[in-house]
Amino acid sequence: MSQQIESNLVDCVSTYDSQEGMDEADKLISDTLDGPDNPALGNYNVPLALAANNFELYGHSSKDSKDRYARYGQEGIGFALGPIPSRTFLDTFCPCPAGIMEKMPSTMDAFIEVPRSADTEEAIYEPLITALNKADDHASRCPGYTFLDTSSHPDTTGNCTVKPDVLCYSNEHVPRVRKRGNASRTDMGFATFFIEVKRRPTQDFFQDPYAHWRSSRAHPCFLFKQATKTARRVFLQDFGQQIVYATELCARQFRHSCFSVSIYGCKVRIMRWDRAGLIVTRQFDLHDNPEILCEFLWRYAHMSEAQRGMDMTVAAASEAEEALFRAAVEPHVALQLGLSGKRLQAAVYRHYQPKAVCAISVFDVTTRQEQRYLVSRPLSSPLSIVGRATRTYWAVNALTGRVTYLKDTWRICTPGAEQEGMVIASLAAGGVRHIPVVLHHGDVPALLDTQPLTSVDRSEKQTTVTHRYADAEWACAGGIDLSAIVQYTQYRLVGSIAGYALHSISGTAELLPAGCRILQVMIDAFERKRVHRNIHPSSVVLYREKAGADRHGFLLDWDLSWCKKATNPHAHLPFDAMWQFMSISVQSKSVQGHSIQDDMEALLYVMLYCSLRWLDHTIDTESQGLPWILEGLFDHASWSGREPHGNDGKVANSTERRYTRFVRFKSPALHEWLNKLMDFHHPREEECKSGTGFLSPEPQLSTTAQWLNPKALEELWTHFLEDKKLESDDRVARTLPYESREIEEGAAAHPATMPSYSRSAKRGAVDLGVEDDSPRAGKRRKVSSSGNRYLHPGPTGLYHPGTGTLGCIEALALPSDGSESEASSTSSVAPTSKKPSKKRDPAKQGEGSKAKRGGKGTGARGKGR
């Protein structure tokens, strides 16, 4: 299915209240539900989550391709191991019987036509691909596979637009790839590995230690050499580009690992990627040592699908199973969202893609039995190659037809780490409210291609291998923290709650009660010495138990939780939760451990974020006001080494209401409650000076005394809900415009794709805040005329360190009584004594003023998911 059809489907469903929207939905649904252009094929070409912002979950940083690559490259510095000797790499990761190796064609001058360097990459493509595809009467270089030039044919159907230089396809998949013409040559759903080409050997971003060294451990820098600032940025982009390709390949297929080849002129490296990191060979020369690449291709062709990285515990569903899946999901969607007709069909499409239903095996750790579950389109797709790579689904039990929630993830296996199913079961046994029931869970066993499920050795788990080589003699230790390269094991959990994430709120009447219930869960868990540690909008699920009942909030994603009676198994990892919703103290690392107050603060940010994104208020998006607030309050960070730092926005808002002071919500109850919640967390600076609050010597630790009492907040929240009438129709369909910007060296808006520990947390669930998920759509207001659905950064440079001002704007705060305040978004704010900034004045955003927009990014998709 084309990216444009998916994009338009989400757009038209958001306007289903109008006849025009219904007519458009009718046409698009008939186009899409008849079947995708390229159906799934077992492990290949699997659907991605359908969401307005599938590239980053909550991030509003630039979608320009170079910026995106630079962010991925920065994050990838800590998980690249090398240089492993080529022979060791082949023998370890590409096993092949001696009898088959004897039949390998001659390698003499195999790549002699490939230039040592070239003025353009195109000058390398043709001789390289010709050599790769060469075949004689004896055999081809890579039997059963074909290499295609994909450098000019971008794949736009995935998380982002990608076009690797050369892709390797199985011969049986080549007709599927070519059937729509040259424009579809690049299809990451069917590619088996990719080759990236650069013109010259000097563009290699790795630097090998001297060959005569007995050990590489003391090598000061394997990645990015001793590069200048300009060269380092280019290397970051080139490295990040390959990380993006590996991420996309593994997101579009059910895989546990993949391979790639990187060519710089005639210099080559082979790479193996898994969820723990990347292993890279020493550089070798195609002219002097052609046998290395030839042997890799020959071995690859004769490896099993499991050895090539495919997850063999997933298989294509039968036609009868697909019919069962559709028949079970449709009434469940109707129950959860209260929809019918074309609106229901569009909502079903979020979970079901025709001809793309797969059967996933869940091996229950308790019963020791295999359970077969049917899945199709996920709720979330992996956004990084390294980390927990979580996919979440509505899943249907193949025997009973029950609709459940299935989480397919890679759990961290550090000492003391617990299986999430065990954690939830123990909490339920202790009486914790508002959590799902665990139906089945267990680690995924390693499964060979021809091995029947009944003979699986469950002691052999599907696990990463990169971490095993962190202490190898060939692994350079300079410049990276090897202790952060940890083991991950694939794990699946089936729960009872198949609902919709908090993004789907229909209005204030769903948001605030759900938040109160989540606070109750946190308190219950804390009384049993456990903190959640990863509160974010996707961890909160709204679920309707029966027809006519309200949807209520349940708290999921307990895999990063910590029992405070034991050592924190994640303590040595820099960050392992969702950046945008971390507390001030967790982001600053100013305190040891994680407290319930950190979870409470995360809940505060969730309430603010959901209110700003999906409820009605005075800030418009076309003037860049809302994106500026979202980025400054939730996203901003600067890099120090390989770790992001930055809680300035949250500190400023807690003390001065720097960002929220502009906002006035249409709902008086919501407006009042957000003020109460922020004041409960931290008094405004003027209140501290007057003696009604207190400030810590460290601003990031400032809080109110009552914040230390979670039950006081629960009581306040409960009484507020009892006393106030909450609006149920104030959701707004809001599209944020896109603006590109350059990322300065060492200072970047924090991406929603962090290193493994935090990046994986961001993958917990994709932004489902598209309006067809709302059972009561509320007011439909076209906020932005932009067809671009990507979230983006606001303008930079408004905050001047040392002055406490934003250009000519005073510090911000929500009007406490719901009326216009001096800094209300609908009135001008008096400038400071400083010279007014020439940049856009955020205070005018309520007046509907329009700022100039930056140029569009060239790499990220302009439209679509």
Side-chain angles (χ1 to χ4, degrees):
M1 167 178 318
S2 71
Q3 160 200 344
Q4 186 61 51
I5 289 178
E6 292 187 357
S7 171
N8 292 342
L9 178 62
V10 177
D11 283 337
C12 76
V13 169
S14 68
T15 59
Y16 58 69
D17 282 342
S18 68
Q19 184 59 45
E20 180 183 358
M22 288 291 292
D23 292 342
E24 183 67 12
D26 182 52
K27 179 180 182 300
L28 287 169
I29 290 167
S30 64
D31 289 343
T32 57
L33 294 186
D34 287 340
D37 296 333
N38 257 343
L41 190 65
N43 317 69
Y44 292 93
N45 202 36
V46 299
L48 290 173
L50 179 60
N53 180 31
N54 201 31
F55 178 65
E56 293 181 341
L57 298 183
Y58 305 105
H60 301 80
S61 47
S62 172
K63 304 303 178 291
D64 179 87
S65 61
K66 291 183 179 180
D67 293 345
R68 182 174 73 245
Y69 294 156
R71 292 196 299 270
Y72 270 92
Q74 179 69 57
E75 296 162 3
I77 293 175
F79 61 71
L81 286 182
I84 182 174
S86 300
R87 175 56 49 194
T88 304
F89 182 94
L90 294 173
D91 291 342
T92 302
F93 303 121
C94 306
C96 189
I100 293 179
M101 289 302 303
E102 292 173 356
K103 300 177 182 179
M104 187 176 74
S106 171
T107 64
M108 183 177 296
D109 295 335
F111 301 99
I112 196 64
E113 299 298 328
V114 177
R116 291 192 175 276
S117 63
D119 293 332
T120 64
E121 293 179 2
E122 289 76 6
I124 297 176
Y125 298 157
E126 183 176 353
L128 174 65
I129 293 174
T130 299
L132 292 171
N133 287 327
K134 182 178 179 180
D136 54 30
D137 294 337
H138 182 61
S140 62
R141 293 277 173 221
C142 194
Y145 292 86
T146 298
F147 296 86
L148 298 180
D149 178 355
T150 55
S151 60
S152 301
H153 310 286
D155 184 346
T156 62
T157 58
N159 286 329
C160 55
T161 298
V162 294
K163 51 176 184 177
D165 295 324
V166 180
L167 285 180
C168 175
Y169 296 103
S170 169
N171 287 348
E172 66 176 300
H173 294 158
V174 171
R176 294 174 178 268
V177 173
R178 282 179 165 164
K179 75 175 185 178
R180 287 173 292 174
N182 287 339
S184 63
R185 274 188 197 168
T186 305
D187 193 329
M188 301 299 279
F190 287 106
T192 61
F193 70 86
F194 65 90
I195 300 176
E196 187 61 20
V197 177
K198 299 300 177 187
R199 296 174 297 154
R200 298 185 176 90
T202 54
Q203 292 179 275
D204 185 359
F205 39 80
F206 294 106
Q207 183 181 45
D208 294 337
Y210 295 115
H212 64 270
W213 286 14
R214 295 183 59 186
S215 172
S216 301
R217 304 296 293 179
H219 187 54
C221 188
F222 175 53
L223 195 58
F224 304 144
K225 311 177 183 180
Q226 303 298 323
T228 64
K229 179 178 179 179
T230 301
R232 178 181 172 83
R233 178 168 178 81
V234 173
F235 286 146
L236 276 172
Q237 292 172 353
D238 290 348
F239 182 41
Q241 182 182 30
Q242 299 200 35
I243 297 175
V244 168
Y245 294 164
T247 299
E248 188 70 14
L249 184 68
C250 291
R252 301 276 295 281
Q253 302 171 23
F254 285 108
R255 283 183 166 272
H256 55 74
S257 59
C258 70
F259 292 89
S260 69
V261 177
S262 189
I263 297 179
Y264 318 91
C266 67
K267 304 295 184 181
V268 184
R269 295 182 189 272
I270 308 173
M271 306 178 185
R272 183 189 183 276
W273 310 75
D274 67 17
R275 299 305 181 183
L278 163 68
I279 295 179
V280 189
T281 66
R282 271 187 173 272
Q283 185 190 89
F284 60 91
D285 193 294
L286 276 179
H287 293 177
D288 299 337
N289 303 105
E291 70 280 358
I292 298 176
L293 183 56
C294 288
E295 188 171 333
F296 167 72
L297 298 175
W298 183 258
R299 286 171 175 260
Y300 188 87
H302 291 89
M303 289 158 58
S304 69
E305 282 282 78
Q307 290 168 335
R308 295 189 195 106
M310 304 306 295
D311 178 2
M312 304 310 296
T313 64
V314 181
S318 66
E319 291 184 5
E321 287 177 323
E322 178 169 352
L324 171 65
F325 182 87
R326 174 69 186 268
V329 165
E330 185 166 325
H332 193 74
V333 174
L335 170 64
Q336 294 303 312
L337 299 182
L339 301 178
S340 61
K342 296 302 180 182
R343 292 164 57 188
L344 175 59
Q345 289 187 44
V348 168
Y349 184 69
R350 288 193 157 281
H351 308 278
Y352 167 64
Q353 177 175 307
K355 301 180 183 179
V357 177
C358 297
I360 292 183
S361 296
V362 178
F363 298 87
D364 192 278
V365 69
T366 304
T367 65
R368 311 291 291 175
Q369 298 294 317
E370 178 214 352
Q371 302 292 327
R372 186 176 174 91
Y373 280 90
L374 308 176
V375 302
S376 183
R377 187 181 294 281
L379 302 172
S380 64
S381 298
L383 297 182
S384 176
I385 183 63
V386 171
R388 291 178 295 158
T390 301
R391 287 182 173 99
T392 57
Y393 297 91
W394 277 16
V396 174
N397 187 296
L399 292 179
T400 66
R402 178 179 180 180
V403 179
T404 60
Y405 170 87
L406 189 149
K407 182 174 183 177
D408 183 8
T409 188
W410 289 74
R411 65 182 185 91
I412 300 173
C413 294
T414 51
E418 304 168 274
Q419 292 182 336
E420 183 179 4
M422 294 294 191
V423 171
I424 297 176
S426 67
L427 291 174
V432 175
R433 296 166 286 176
H434 317 319
I435 58 175
V437 175
V438 176
L439 304 177
H440 306 285
H441 76 105
D443 291 336
V444 177
L447 184 63
L448 302 179
D449 292 10
T450 59
Q451 189 176 9
L453 295 177
T454 54
S455 64
V456 171
D457 180 3
R458 290 178 174 80
S459 64
E460 291 293 328
K461 309 298 184 184
Q462 200 142 275
T463 185
T464 57
V465 300
T466 299
H467 65 282
R468 300 175 187 173
Y469 302 96
D471 296 327
E473 285 298 316
W474 48 260
C476 296
I480 65 174
D481 178 11
L482 294 177
S483 67
I485 300 179
V486 298
Q487 177 183 351
Y488 290 82
T489 296
Q490 193 170 9
Y491 173 80
R492 289 176 182 145
L493 179 147
V494 179
S496 60
I497 302 299
Y500 286 88
L502 199 58
H503 319 102
S504 70
I505 51 171
S506 61
T508 304
E510 280 194 332
L511 177 65
L512 296 192
C516 185
R517 280 171 63 99
I518 299 312
L519 176 63
Q520 292 170 349
V521 180
M522 292 158 44
I523 294 173
D524 287 353
F526 184 70
E527 290 176 347
R528 290 148 187 83
K529 308 300 182 183
R530 186 172 292 275
V531 288
H532 188 278
R533 300 181 66 253
N534 191 24
I535 303 292
H536 56 85
S538 296
S539 67
V540 180
V541 170
L542 299 175
Y543 180 73
R544 194 191 319 275
E545 296 190 17
K546 60 183 179 180
D550 292 332
R551 294 197 300 174
H552 296 296
F554 291 79
L555 185 57
L556 280 61
D557 290 346
W558 290 88
D559 44 346
L560 293 181
S561 67
W562 171 35
C563 179
K564 304 200 76 170
K565 295 184 291 185
T567 302
N568 183 1
H570 312 105
H572 71 288
L573 302 177
F575 290 106
D576 56 9
M578 197 168 287
W579 175 266
Q580 284 81 0
F581 309 102
M582 287 182 187
S583 70
I584 293 172
S585 62
V586 169
Q587 281 186 333
S588 66
K589 294 192 170 183
S590 57
V591 296
Q592 294 296 321
H594 189 108
S595 68
I596 188 174
Q597 282 72 33
D598 293 314
D599 282 351
M600 292 162 58
E601 189 176 341
L603 182 60
L604 161 63
Y605 299 136
V606 167
M607 294 293 104
L608 279 174
Y609 184 90
C610 291
S611 301
L612 290 166
R613 275 293 281 117
W614 295 296
L615 299 181
D616 203 1
H617 53 68
T618 55
I619 305 300
D620 81 52
T621 57
E622 292 197 4
S623 67
Q624 301 290 317
L626 181 58
W628 172 80
I629 291 175
L630 293 174
E631 185 198 9
L633 183 55
F634 298 104
D635 281 352
H636 177 74
S638 60
W639 288 91
S640 175
R642 63 184 295 264
E643 295 184 24
H645 298 273
N647 52 25
D648 296 347
K650 291 174 181 174
V651 171
N653 201 68
S654 66
T655 58
E656 305 167 353
R657 305 299 187 260
R658 176 167 292 156
Y659 297 98
T660 56
R661 188 174 182 179
F662 281 124
V663 188
R664 182 182 175 210
F665 287 94
K666 179 181 178 182
S667 164
L670 175 65
H671 198 96
E672 180 183 352
W673 174 248
L674 291 178
N675 269 305
K676 284 182 177 291
L677 190 56
M678 288 188 289
D679 291 342
F680 196 93
H681 167 242
H682 193 293
R684 304 177 196 188
E685 199 168 54
E686 56 267 26
E687 294 173 350
C688 294
K689 293 177 180 178
S690 66
T692 59
F694 71 89
L695 287 174
S696 164
E698 298 182 70
Q700 67 269 24
L701 299 183
S702 301
T703 186
T704 61
Q706 58 187 357
W707 186 254
L708 302 178
N709 182 4
K711 288 196 171 183
L713 178 58
E714 180 190 11
E715 182 178 359
L716 177 68
W717 205 323
T718 302
H719 289 332
F720 184 87
L721 295 178
E722 292 172 349
D723 295 341
K724 299 293 181 178
K725 178 176 175 57
L726 305 180
E727 292 78 1
S728 58
D729 61 350
D730 52 338
R731 181 184 176 99
V732 172
R734 185 178 284 116
T735 300
L736 299 184
Y738 173 82
E739 181 178 88
S740 176
R741 69 156 180 209
E742 289 297 313
I743 294 181
E744 309 242 343
E745 179 74 18
H750 190 274
T753 49
M754 286 283 294
S756 58
Y757 11 86
S758 55
R759 182 190 302 119
S760 55
K762 290 177 175 57
R763 286 191 301 272
V766 167
D767 180 349
L768 297 176
V770 190
E771 282 64 44
D772 60 303
D773 278 347
S774 173
R776 302 184 65 180
K779 181 178 180 181
R780 301 293 174 185
R781 175 160 58 92
K782 184 66 175 177
V783 180
S784 171
S785 60
S786 170
N788 192 306
R789 301 138 61 75
Y790 275 117
L791 306 184
H792 73 102
T796 59
L798 287 174
Y799 175 63
H800 306 286
T803 66
T805 64
L806 289 158
C808 61
I809 308 303
E810 296 282 353
L812 318 174
L814 268 175
S816 60
D817 59 355
S819 61
E820 295 287 331
S821 72
E822 292 181 358
S824 170
S825 60
T826 57
S827 62
S828 299
V829 178
T832 64
S833 59
K834 295 184 179 293
K835 184 178 180 179
S837 170
K838 294 183 180 180
K839 293 185 178 290
R840 175 191 55 78
D841 186 342
K844 295 180 181 179
Q845 52 200 327
E847 302 171 10
S849 61
K850 294 185 179 181
K852 291 183 179 181
R853 296 190 183 179
K856 297 282 185 179
T858 59
R861 295 178 296 167
K863 295 182 179 181
R865 187 170 42 243

